[in-house]
């Protein structure tokens, strides 16, 4: 099991650091899966984290100038690590102006992701900063828990409004209630609603547009095709989960959308050239 | 959507309709008195008065004149209701309450009458939010009987001058003692905390002093915990008038200028602390 990668380009380094910071805002612990082509940050829905799951996919070629890995075996050419994204994020933040950053899987007192940064100097002597971020290696028998989630058979898919606007609204609603109902239809309309003994608040977004999913996306071409465009699909979710998702946005996505499975799950997707982030929030009754 | 399509006919069912093209004009001034959840709204053709009280010893009033609103329609002589102020502020700032120029939240506030919720329609950048805040039975506000004919001492200061003192107040002191006098020390704020006593003196000739009318030396103590909330009003204000009457009651009046340069007033009344040591 070997892994080493090198980032030289400062823009790539910044971008990578922002992605990791975003992940760190979403979850304390997650799984980092390394394959020859991709890096994945994965959180599988467990009761402990409120049933939320996450899937973030990065293409290694877009970040790393050098990337070598050798998985546990040639058939299963993968490495699965449990990491604390915040620790990696901190290590990367301190080396933002480095000439080059190497990331290596090492065995010190425990398995570590070692971040080695070569910092610029005025003299001829190099300054090298090393961070050892402890990780846990996940045995192969548990890998099945960290597979890419299936695209849910959603009732409505809609583009999200500017995330900043949505964040402002959700932040205020969080002050007023613990749960929020998000509803949307195929007419480009989305509402955020809360209701308590003291107050009811509804924010109406319109003209958002509905993403055109090909035939491969909605498997049975059933409900969403014949659906009345004005009928809302809704999900009642824990506001904190949605707030977390909106808070962590360090990367301005080129596309942000959400899929709603009526009263079952809220599936949020952010797309950014070389990064995609999916976030699943289960609906509560 | 409610804001654009609502016809004038709809308005007839409301006893109170107030519209503003900048919700911050209302939310900012309400922040100055938001130290307790419950606020009593009294609307008259002159405008709105919002009252918040604490322990029957402190009362804050915000006055928002009718002309602060682009439209202010009231169908009765006076409309009174009680509402949760914290909730109202969250609603008014639903879009983040950005202070950036060119971005403002349009507000339409409607009330149908006793037993109905206060309805807010807010719009920013084409996004509309509708809030229905339940109203409560209004409590009778305490009458502090603070009457200008009984005022013993009065000073008007530029708020800048008091902000520094208030931001550095020793909060370990249980009381804030205010001394006003026609002779030295003229106007003095004192605290008695764990780490010693502190006095802030303002000369009557200070640049910060706009008016100095003290007739008699008066020293009164006020509970720090009661006065602390008034710092919010001070922070927003440009001038403050400090008055005490013959019973030692304190009146603080703040002049607050909003984003559009219009003027509103916020007023705090506070009872003196019981064991006053007269000089």
């Amino acid at each position: 099991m070997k892994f080493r990668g090198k980032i030289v380009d400062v823009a790539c380094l910044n971008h990578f650091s922002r992605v990791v910071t975003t992940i760190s805002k979403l979850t304390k612990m997650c799984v980092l899966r390394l394959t020859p082509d991709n890096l994945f940050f994965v959180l599988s829905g467990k009761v402990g984290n409120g049933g939320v799951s996450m899937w973030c996919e990065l293409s290694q070629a877009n970040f790393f100038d050098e990337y070598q890995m050798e998985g546990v075996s040639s058939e299963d050419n993968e490495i699965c690590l449990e990491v604390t994204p915040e620790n990696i994020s901190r290590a990367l933040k301190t080396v933002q102006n480095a000439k080059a950053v190497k990331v290596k899987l090492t065995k010190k007192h425990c398995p570590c992701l070692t971040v080695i940064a070569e910092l610029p100097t005025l003299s001829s002597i190099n300054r090298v900063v090393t961070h050892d971020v402890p990780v846990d290696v996940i045995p192969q028998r548990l890998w099945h828990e960290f597979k890419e989630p299936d695209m849910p058979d959603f009732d409505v898919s809609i583009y999200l409004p500017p995330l900043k606007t949505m964040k402002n609204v959700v932040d205020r609603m969080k002050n007023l209630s613990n749960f929020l109902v998000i509803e949307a239809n195929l007419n480009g309309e989305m509402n955020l609603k809360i209701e308590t003994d003291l107050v009811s608040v509804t924010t109406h977004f319109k003209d958002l547009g509905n993403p055109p999913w090909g035939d491969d996306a909605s498997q049975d071409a059933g409900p969403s095709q014949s659906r009345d465009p004005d009928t809302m699909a809704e999900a009642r979710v824990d506001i904190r989960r949605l707030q977390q998702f909106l808070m962590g946005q360090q990367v301005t996505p080129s596309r942000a959308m959400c899929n709603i499975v009526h009263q079952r799950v809220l599936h949020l997707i952010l797309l950014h050239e070389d990064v995609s982030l999916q976030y699943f929030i289960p609906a509560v009754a | 959507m409610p804001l654009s399509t609502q016809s004038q006919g709809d308005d007839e069912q409301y006893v109170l309709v107030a519209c503003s093209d900048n919700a911050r004009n209302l939310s900012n001034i309400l922040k100055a008195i938001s130290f307790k959840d419950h606020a009593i709204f009294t609307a008259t053709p002159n405008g709105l008065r919002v009252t918040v009280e604490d322990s029957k010893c402190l009362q804050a009033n915000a006055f928002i004149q009718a002309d602060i609103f682009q439209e202010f329609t009231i169908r009765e002589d006076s409309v009174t209701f009680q509402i949760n102020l914290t909730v109202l502020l969250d609603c008014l700032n639903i879009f983040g309450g950005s202070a950036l120029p060119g971005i403002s939240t349009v507000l339409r506030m409607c009330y149908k009458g006793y037993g109905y919720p206060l309805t807010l329609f807010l719009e920013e950048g084409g996004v509309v939010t509708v809030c229905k805040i339940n109203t409560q039975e209004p409590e009778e506000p305490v009458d502090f009987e603070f009457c200008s004919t009984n005022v013993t001492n009065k000073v008007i200061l530029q708020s800048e001058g008091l902000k520094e003192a208030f931001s550095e107040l020793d909060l370990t002191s249980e009381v804030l003692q205010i001394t006003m006098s026609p002779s030295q020390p003229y106007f003095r704020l004192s605290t008695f905390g764990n780490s010693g006593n502190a006095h802030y003196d303002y000369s009557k000739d200070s640049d910060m002093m706009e008016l100095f009318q003290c007739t008699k030396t008066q020293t009164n103590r006020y509970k720090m915990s009661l006065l602390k909330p008034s710092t919010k009003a001070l922070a927003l204000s440009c001038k403050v008038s400090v008055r005490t009457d013959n019973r030692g009651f304190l009146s603080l009046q703040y002049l607050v200028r909003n984003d559009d340069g219009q003027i509103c007033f916020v007023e705090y009344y506070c009872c003196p602390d019981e064991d006053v040591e007269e000089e």
Side-chain angles (χ1 to χ4, degrees):
Chain A
M1 211 164 42
K2 271 183 194 159
F3 166 70
R4 61 184 296 147
K6 188 174 175 185
I7 305 178
V8 177
D9 185 73
V10 70
C12 289
L13 181 58
N14 273 322
H15 190 22
F16 186 61
S17 159
R18 274 201 301 270
V19 172
V20 178
T21 308
T22 301
I23 304 290
S24 73
K25 298 272 165 67
L26 290 176
T27 175
K28 245 196 177 111
M29 305 282 278
C30 72
V31 168
L32 173 60
R33 257 180 70 187
L34 302 164
T35 67
D37 296 319
N38 292 303
L39 293 94
F40 303 93
F41 290 95
V42 190
L43 180 68
S44 61
K46 297 241 175 71
V47 180
N49 51 38
V52 166
S53 53
M54 174 190 79
W55 180 262
C56 179
E57 186 171 335
L58 290 75
S59 148
Q60 59 91 352
N62 283 314
F63 292 92
F64 290 89
D65 295 274
E66 285 169 33
Y67 185 95
Q68 295 160 4
M69 69 145 306
E70 222 172 84
V72 280
S73 64
S74 49
E75 306 90 75
D76 295 296
N77 195 10
E78 279 190 25
I79 300 174
C80 238
L81 306 169
E82 189 172 45
V83 298
T84 307
E86 201 194 334
N87 290 342
I88 307 178
S89 154
R90 272 199 217 144
L92 290 171
K93 269 186 192 159
T94 57
V95 299
Q96 281 303 292
N97 56 351
K99 287 196 283 184
V101 172
K102 283 183 213 157
V103 186
K104 273 204 290 195
L105 183 63
T106 56
K107 178 118 185 109
K108 303 221 167 165
H109 54 284
C110 69
C112 285
L113 266 183
T114 300
V115 178
I116 305 163
E118 228 178 280
L119 298 177
T121 51
L122 290 173
S123 69
S124 57
I125 308 155
N126 274 340
R127 288 191 296 154
V128 175
V129 174
T130 306
H131 290 266
D132 290 316
V133 181
V135 296
D136 275 325
V137 177
I138 294 178
Q140 208 169 345
R141 63 187 157 81
L142 297 177
W143 284 7
H144 63 91
E145 290 181 30
F146 309 106
K147 295 289 176 223
E148 176 162 14
D150 292 328
M151 174 66 69
D153 190 9
F154 51 81
D155 295 288
V156 167
S157 178
I158 193 164
Y159 288 119
L160 291 174
L163 295 181
K164 190 156 182 295
T165 311
M166 198 168 153
K167 176 180 181 296
N168 280 335
V169 171
V170 171
D171 282 352
R172 303 294 153 173
M173 287 184 167
K174 164 73 179 38
N175 292 345
L176 300 169
S177 171
N178 295 325
F179 295 97
L180 168 148
V181 173
I182 181 167
E183 57 176 21
N185 62 19
L186 293 174
N187 221 354
E189 294 169 333
M190 184 180 96
N191 301 328
L192 301 177
K193 304 197 291 191
I194 57 144
E195 191 158 357
T196 70
D197 294 345
L198 292 172
V199 64
S200 77
V201 180
T202 308
T203 296
H204 305 267
F205 296 92
K206 53 180 182 173
D207 305 326
L208 296 174
N210 301 90
W213 289 94
D215 291 335
D216 50 330
S218 80
Q219 297 92 332
D220 50 46
S224 54
Q225 298 292 313
S226 54
R227 195 183 165 84
D228 168 22
D230 288 328
T231 307
M232 293 283 180
E234 60 161 50
R236 185 168 181 266
V237 296
D238 185 333
I239 293 194
R240 283 172 306 171
R241 306 293 163 213
L242 185 59
Q243 195 186 26
Q244 250 171 7
F245 172 77
L246 295 165
M247 198 157 56
Q249 293 327 310
Q250 305 264 324
V251 191
T252 324
S254 46
R255 277 283 179 211
M257 53 191 122
C258 92
N259 299 326
I260 300 175
V261 186
H262 187 59
Q263 296 182 344
R264 295 295 289 277
V265 74
L266 175 64
H267 176 208
L268 299 145
I269 309 169
L270 299 184
L271 298 177
H272 186 87
E273 309 163 47
D274 39 22
V275 186
S276 75
L277 175 67
Q278 299 181 58
Y279 196 65
F280 295 79
I281 308 177
V284 289
Chain B
M1 286 289 97
L3 263 195
S4 46
T5 59
Q6 199 162 51
S7 66
Q8 292 300 312
D10 268 0
D11 284 358
E12 276 166 27
Q13 53 184 321
Y14 293 116
V15 296
L16 174 71
V17 177
C19 304
S20 168
D21 55 18
N22 189 359
R24 261 170 61 84
N25 286 348
L26 181 62
S27 66
N28 258 357
I29 195 114
L30 293 180
K31 266 183 215 156
I33 57 165
S34 66
F35 55 89
K36 285 272 161 187
D37 276 348
H38 296 292
I40 304 157
F41 275 66
T42 312
T44 63
N46 292 326
L48 271 179
R49 189 182 80 187
V50 186
T51 307
V52 181
E53 293 185 332
D54 187 6
S55 324
K56 306 266 179 211
C57 294
L58 178 73
Q59 183 181 76
N61 291 293
F63 299 93
I64 304 128
Q65 294 94 302
D67 57 12
I68 299 287
F69 298 96
Q70 269 69 49
E71 186 198 327
F72 191 85
T73 314
I74 179 164
R75 286 180 206 289
E76 288 169 16
D77 294 338
S78 153
V79 174
T80 307
F81 55 88
Q82 185 170 308
I83 202 167
N84 187 308
L85 187 58
T86 318
V87 169
L88 175 63
L89 279 170
D90 273 319
C91 289
L92 288 173
N93 291 313
I94 190 91
F95 295 115
S98 154
L100 294 173
I103 304 172
S104 65
T105 307
V106 178
L107 163 72
R108 177 181 194 83
M109 186 164 75
C110 309
Y111 180 58
K112 272 188 193 170
Y114 184 81
Y116 283 96
L118 179 72
T119 309
L120 308 179
F121 300 99
L122 297 137
E123 195 246 85
E124 186 178 307
V127 183
V128 174
T129 298
V130 183
C131 309
K132 291 195 165 115
I133 310 172
N134 292 340
T135 53
Q136 301 148 352
E137 193 77 44
E139 279 164 29
E140 190 64 36
V142 177
D143 184 358
F144 278 69
E145 293 169 353
F146 194 96
C147 170
S148 52
T149 49
N150 294 334
V151 167
T152 324
N153 295 316
K154 173 180 181 179
V155 298
I156 297 179
L157 286 151
Q158 285 177 22
S159 301
E160 256 348 279
L162 269 190
K163 276 178 198 169
E164 198 189 326
F166 266 79
S167 65
E168 288 174 2
L169 279 184
D170 179 358
L171 294 176
T172 62
S173 172
E174 247 187 61
V175 293
L176 175 69
Q177 180 174 293
I178 301 180
T179 306
M180 288 162 101
S181 162
S183 56
Q184 283 231 330
Y186 303 114
F187 180 59
R188 166 176 281 187
L189 304 174
S190 313
T191 54
F192 312 94
N194 295 341
S195 46
N197 301 347
H199 303 286
Y200 293 85
D201 287 358
Y202 294 83
S203 150
K204 67 174 179 155
D205 306 316
S206 156
D207 287 346
M208 294 295 171
M209 196 71 77
E210 297 219 341
L211 182 86
F212 186 86
Q213 281 176 355
C214 292
T215 55
K216 190 181 152 211
T217 302
Q218 224 183 355
T219 300
N220 292 297
R221 293 183 167 196
Y222 305 92
K223 279 246 184 316
M224 188 66 90
S225 55
L226 289 175
L227 280 188
K228 196 75 194 55
S230 70
T231 319
K232 289 183 182 181
L234 181 66
L236 288 167
S237 66
C238 40
K239 281 182 198 181
V240 52
S241 145
V242 183
R243 297 181 299 167
T244 50
D245 71 2
N246 50 1
R247 300 166 301 167
F249 279 55
L250 176 69
S251 147
L252 298 165
Q253 285 179 323
Y254 301 90
L255 186 149
V256 179
R257 216 179 276 280
N258 69 15
D259 290 351
D260 302 326
Q262 294 159 306
I263 286 170
C264 295
F265 287 96
V266 174
E267 171 184 81
Y268 273 83
Y269 289 123
C270 187
C271 299
D273 211 20
E274 282 288 89
D275 47 309
V276 197
E277 293 157 304
E278 289 292 359
E279 78 287 12

